[in-house]
Amino acid sequence: MLVLAGLLDDREWHGLTLWTKPIKFAIGFALYLMSLGCFAAFIDPAWRQRRVFRVAIFAGLLAIAMEQAIITLQSARGVGSHFNIATAFDAALYSAMGAGSLVLLVMVLPIAWGLARHPGTQPLSASMRHALVAGLLLTFGLTLITAGTMAVMGSHRVGALPGTSGAMAWMGWLRHAGDLRVPHFFATHAMHAIPLAVLMLGPLLRLGQRGVVGVAAIYGAVVLAVFVQALQGHAFLAFIG
């Protein structure tokens, strides 16, 4: 439906169709939920039936539905959703999105705890279990830092004016100034990057718990370095078009 809306509505926001953002977020939310669902399959079913687990997941699902609804509504109105406090209504929606973002992020914690303390009977190597837990915890911590900074600053731009052209193809990241969406992207995908790195290194190295922690530490350091780079107003991979 969002794709159809984009085809029928040619209005733009900062050089992109108004429906680009809701489509991207819908894809991102779907990937997030599918990933958490796959990870949860390796948790003891009895733990998944615990109230704390079910409440956290249900609250996160409601938050995601609210976030997607607000983003879609604001796009339909022809205005931005993030950092939009132009009116009392816009500010209320943006505040609701901020609260929702925190709730949906908390979803990773009971899954990480379940993987660490209540593993299921499905075959899963110890190193991969450690990788899943580490990735989820990094996603939580790094996303809090990057998203929280953008919320405090009221923008993802550092040293750039709204609507400035020259964004990186596909991702839309700024190529002429700092863009906090870059470290935020890598932060949210730590849950995928760490397990993937451990999977790729598996045939070469026998990674135990310390090895997985080392991989997670390197990834976290890279994300923080990109975060600092953005805060200093420097573009990420500015030479890429």
Side-chain angles (χ1 to χ4, degrees), residues 166-194:
M168 186 182 296
W170 300 106
M171 300 304 294
W173 295 337
L174 300 175
R175 292 191 293 115
H176 56 279
D179 194 333
L180 290 170
R181 292 176 300 179
V182 181
H184 178 59
F185 173 85
F186 290 120
T188 58
H189 287 289
M191 66 167 66
H192 306 113
I194 303 304

Short mmCIF file of all heavy atoms in Angstrom, two decimals, residues 166-194:
data_model
loop_
_atom_site.label_atom_id
_atom_site.label_comp_id
_atom_site.label_asym_id
_atom_site.label_seq_id
_atom_site.Cartn_x
_atom_site.Cartn_y
_atom_site.Cartn_z
N GLY A 166 23.10 16.51 -2.29
CA GLY A 166 24.36 15.79 -2.30
C GLY A 166 24.40 14.62 -1.35
O GLY A 166 25.47 14.23 -0.89
N ALA A 167 23.25 14.03 -1.06
CA ALA A 167 23.21 12.89 -0.16
C ALA A 167 23.73 11.64 -0.86
O ALA A 167 23.67 11.52 -2.09
CB ALA A 167 21.79 12.66 0.35
N MET A 168 24.25 10.70 -0.07
CA MET A 168 24.75 9.45 -0.61
C MET A 168 23.59 8.64 -1.21
O MET A 168 22.51 8.57 -0.63
CB MET A 168 25.43 8.64 0.50
CG MET A 168 26.12 7.37 0.02
SD MET A 168 26.84 6.44 1.41
CE MET A 168 28.07 7.63 1.96
N ALA A 169 23.84 8.07 -2.37
CA ALA A 169 22.81 7.29 -3.05
C ALA A 169 22.34 6.14 -2.16
O ALA A 169 23.10 5.58 -1.38
CB ALA A 169 23.36 6.75 -4.37
N TRP A 170 21.07 5.79 -2.29
CA TRP A 170 20.41 4.71 -1.58
C TRP A 170 20.17 5.02 -0.11
O TRP A 170 19.03 5.04 0.33
CB TRP A 170 21.18 3.39 -1.71
CG TRP A 170 21.35 2.92 -3.11
CD1 TRP A 170 22.49 2.94 -3.87
CD2 TRP A 170 20.33 2.38 -3.96
NE1 TRP A 170 22.25 2.46 -5.13
CE2 TRP A 170 20.93 2.10 -5.21
CE3 TRP A 170 18.97 2.10 -3.79
CZ2 TRP A 170 20.21 1.55 -6.27
CZ3 TRP A 170 18.26 1.56 -4.85
CH2 TRP A 170 18.88 1.30 -6.08
N MET A 171 21.21 5.27 0.64
CA MET A 171 21.05 5.46 2.08
C MET A 171 20.59 6.88 2.43
O MET A 171 19.96 7.09 3.47
CB MET A 171 22.36 5.16 2.82
CG MET A 171 22.86 3.74 2.64
SD MET A 171 21.64 2.49 3.11
CE MET A 171 21.53 2.79 4.87
N GLY A 172 20.92 7.86 1.59
CA GLY A 172 20.53 9.22 1.87
C GLY A 172 21.43 9.93 2.87
O GLY A 172 21.11 11.02 3.34
N TRP A 173 22.57 9.32 3.23
CA TRP A 173 23.47 9.93 4.20
C TRP A 173 24.18 11.14 3.57
O TRP A 173 24.52 11.15 2.39
CB TRP A 173 24.52 8.92 4.66
CG TRP A 173 23.94 7.77 5.43
CD1 TRP A 173 22.76 7.73 6.11
CD2 TRP A 173 24.52 6.46 5.57
NE1 TRP A 173 22.58 6.51 6.68
CE2 TRP A 173 23.64 5.70 6.37
CE3 TRP A 173 25.70 5.87 5.12
CZ2 TRP A 173 23.90 4.37 6.71
CZ3 TRP A 173 25.98 4.56 5.46
CH2 TRP A 173 25.08 3.82 6.26
N LEU A 174 24.41 12.15 4.38
CA LEU A 174 25.05 13.37 3.92
C LEU A 174 26.51 13.09 3.53
O LEU A 174 27.22 12.37 4.23
CB LEU A 174 25.01 14.44 5.01
CG LEU A 174 23.62 14.87 5.48
CD1 LEU A 174 23.74 15.86 6.63
CD2 LEU A 174 22.83 15.49 4.33
N ARG A 175 26.94 13.69 2.42
CA ARG A 175 28.32 13.52 1.95
C ARG A 175 29.16 14.77 2.16
O ARG A 175 30.33 14.81 1.77
CB ARG A 175 28.34 13.13 0.47
CG ARG A 175 27.78 11.74 0.21
CD ARG A 175 28.05 11.27 -1.20
NE ARG A 175 27.31 12.06 -2.18
CZ ARG A 175 27.86 12.85 -3.08
NH1 ARG A 175 29.16 13.00 -3.13
NH2 ARG A 175 27.11 13.52 -3.96
N HIS A 176 28.57 15.80 2.77
CA HIS A 176 29.27 17.07 2.93
C HIS A 176 29.32 17.51 4.38
O HIS A 176 29.85 18.59 4.67
CB HIS A 176 28.55 18.14 2.10
CG HIS A 176 27.10 18.27 2.45
ND1 HIS A 176 26.15 17.42 1.95
CD2 HIS A 176 26.45 19.10 3.28
CE1 HIS A 176 24.97 17.74 2.44
NE2 HIS A 176 25.13 18.76 3.26
N ALA A 177 28.77 16.71 5.29
CA ALA A 177 28.75 17.09 6.71
C ALA A 177 28.49 15.85 7.55
O ALA A 177 28.27 14.76 7.02
CB ALA A 177 27.68 18.14 6.95
N GLY A 178 28.52 16.04 8.86
CA GLY A 178 28.29 14.91 9.75
C GLY A 178 26.84 14.47 9.74
O GLY A 178 25.93 15.28 9.68
N ASP A 179 26.63 13.16 9.78
CA ASP A 179 25.27 12.60 9.75
C ASP A 179 25.18 11.51 10.81
O ASP A 179 25.78 10.44 10.66
CB ASP A 179 24.97 12.03 8.37
CG ASP A 179 23.49 11.76 8.18
OD1 ASP A 179 22.79 11.50 9.18
OD2 ASP A 179 23.01 11.78 7.02
N LEU A 180 24.44 11.78 11.88
CA LEU A 180 24.34 10.84 12.99
C LEU A 180 23.50 9.61 12.64
O LEU A 180 23.49 8.64 13.40
CB LEU A 180 23.73 11.54 14.20
CG LEU A 180 24.64 12.59 14.86
CD1 LEU A 180 23.87 13.40 15.89
CD2 LEU A 180 25.84 11.92 15.51
N ARG A 181 22.85 9.62 11.50
CA ARG A 181 22.12 8.42 11.08
C ARG A 181 23.07 7.29 10.72
O ARG A 181 22.68 6.11 10.76
CB ARG A 181 21.23 8.75 9.88
CG ARG A 181 20.07 9.69 10.18
CD ARG A 181 19.32 10.04 8.92
NE ARG A 181 20.17 10.70 7.94
CZ ARG A 181 19.76 11.10 6.74
NH1 ARG A 181 18.50 10.90 6.38
NH2 ARG A 181 20.60 11.70 5.91
N VAL A 182 24.31 7.63 10.38
CA VAL A 182 25.28 6.60 10.00
C VAL A 182 25.62 5.71 11.19
O VAL A 182 25.43 4.48 11.13
CB VAL A 182 26.54 7.22 9.38
CG1 VAL A 182 27.51 6.13 8.99
CG2 VAL A 182 26.19 8.10 8.19
N PRO A 183 26.13 6.26 12.31
CA PRO A 183 26.39 5.39 13.46
C PRO A 183 25.12 4.77 14.01
O PRO A 183 25.15 3.65 14.54
CB PRO A 183 27.06 6.33 14.47
CG PRO A 183 26.64 7.70 14.07
CD PRO A 183 26.55 7.66 12.58
N HIS A 184 24.00 5.46 13.88
CA HIS A 184 22.73 4.89 14.34
C HIS A 184 22.39 3.64 13.55
O HIS A 184 21.93 2.63 14.11
CB HIS A 184 21.62 5.93 14.20
CG HIS A 184 20.27 5.44 14.61
ND1 HIS A 184 19.99 4.98 15.88
CD2 HIS A 184 19.10 5.34 13.92
CE1 HIS A 184 18.73 4.62 15.96
NE2 HIS A 184 18.17 4.82 14.77
N PHE A 185 22.64 3.68 12.25
CA PHE A 185 22.38 2.51 11.40
C PHE A 185 23.25 1.33 11.83
O PHE A 185 22.75 0.21 12.01
CB PHE A 185 22.67 2.88 9.94
CG PHE A 185 22.60 1.72 8.99
CD1 PHE A 185 21.40 1.31 8.44
CD2 PHE A 185 23.76 1.02 8.63
CE1 PHE A 185 21.33 0.23 7.57
CE2 PHE A 185 23.70 -0.05 7.75
CZ PHE A 185 22.48 -0.44 7.22
N PHE A 186 24.54 1.58 12.01
CA PHE A 186 25.43 0.49 12.41
C PHE A 186 25.12 0.01 13.83
O PHE A 186 25.31 -1.17 14.15
CB PHE A 186 26.89 0.95 12.32
CG PHE A 186 27.36 1.14 10.90
CD1 PHE A 186 27.82 2.36 10.45
CD2 PHE A 186 27.34 0.08 10.00
CE1 PHE A 186 28.24 2.54 9.14
CE2 PHE A 186 27.77 0.24 8.69
CZ PHE A 186 28.21 1.47 8.26
N ALA A 187 24.63 0.90 14.68
CA ALA A 187 24.26 0.51 16.04
C ALA A 187 23.08 -0.45 16.03
O ALA A 187 23.11 -1.50 16.69
CB ALA A 187 23.93 1.75 16.86
N THR A 188 22.05 -0.11 15.28
CA THR A 188 20.86 -0.96 15.27
C THR A 188 21.11 -2.32 14.62
O THR A 188 20.41 -3.28 14.92
CB THR A 188 19.70 -0.26 14.52
OG1 THR A 188 20.11 0.06 13.19
CG2 THR A 188 19.30 1.02 15.24
N HIS A 189 22.12 -2.39 13.75
CA HIS A 189 22.40 -3.65 13.06
C HIS A 189 23.54 -4.44 13.72
O HIS A 189 24.04 -5.40 13.12
CB HIS A 189 22.71 -3.39 11.60
CG HIS A 189 21.49 -3.03 10.80
ND1 HIS A 189 20.50 -3.94 10.49
CD2 HIS A 189 21.08 -1.84 10.28
CE1 HIS A 189 19.55 -3.34 9.80
NE2 HIS A 189 19.88 -2.06 9.66
N ALA A 190 23.90 -4.07 14.93
CA ALA A 190 24.89 -4.87 15.65
C ALA A 190 24.36 -6.29 15.88
O ALA A 190 25.13 -7.26 15.89
CB ALA A 190 25.22 -4.21 16.99
N MET A 191 23.07 -6.44 16.04
CA MET A 191 22.47 -7.75 16.26
C MET A 191 22.65 -8.68 15.06
O MET A 191 22.58 -9.91 15.18
CB MET A 191 20.97 -7.60 16.56
CG MET A 191 20.15 -7.07 15.42
SD MET A 191 18.37 -7.27 15.67
CE MET A 191 18.10 -6.19 17.05
N HIS A 192 22.89 -8.09 13.89
CA HIS A 192 23.15 -8.88 12.70
C HIS A 192 24.65 -8.99 12.42
O HIS A 192 25.14 -10.04 12.01
CB HIS A 192 22.47 -8.25 11.48
CG HIS A 192 21.01 -8.02 11.66
ND1 HIS A 192 20.44 -6.77 11.71
CD2 HIS A 192 19.99 -8.89 11.81
CE1 HIS A 192 19.14 -6.87 11.87
NE2 HIS A 192 18.83 -8.15 11.95
N ALA A 193 25.37 -7.90 12.65
CA ALA A 193 26.79 -7.85 12.29
C ALA A 193 27.63 -8.80 13.14
O ALA A 193 28.52 -9.49 12.61
CB ALA A 193 27.31 -6.42 12.42
N ILE A 194 27.39 -8.84 14.44
CA ILE A 194 28.21 -9.68 15.32
C ILE A 194 28.03 -11.16 15.00
O ILE A 194 29.02 -11.89 14.81
CB ILE A 194 27.92 -9.38 16.80
CG1 ILE A 194 28.15 -7.89 17.10
CG2 ILE A 194 28.80 -10.25 17.70
CD1 ILE A 194 29.52 -7.39 16.75
#
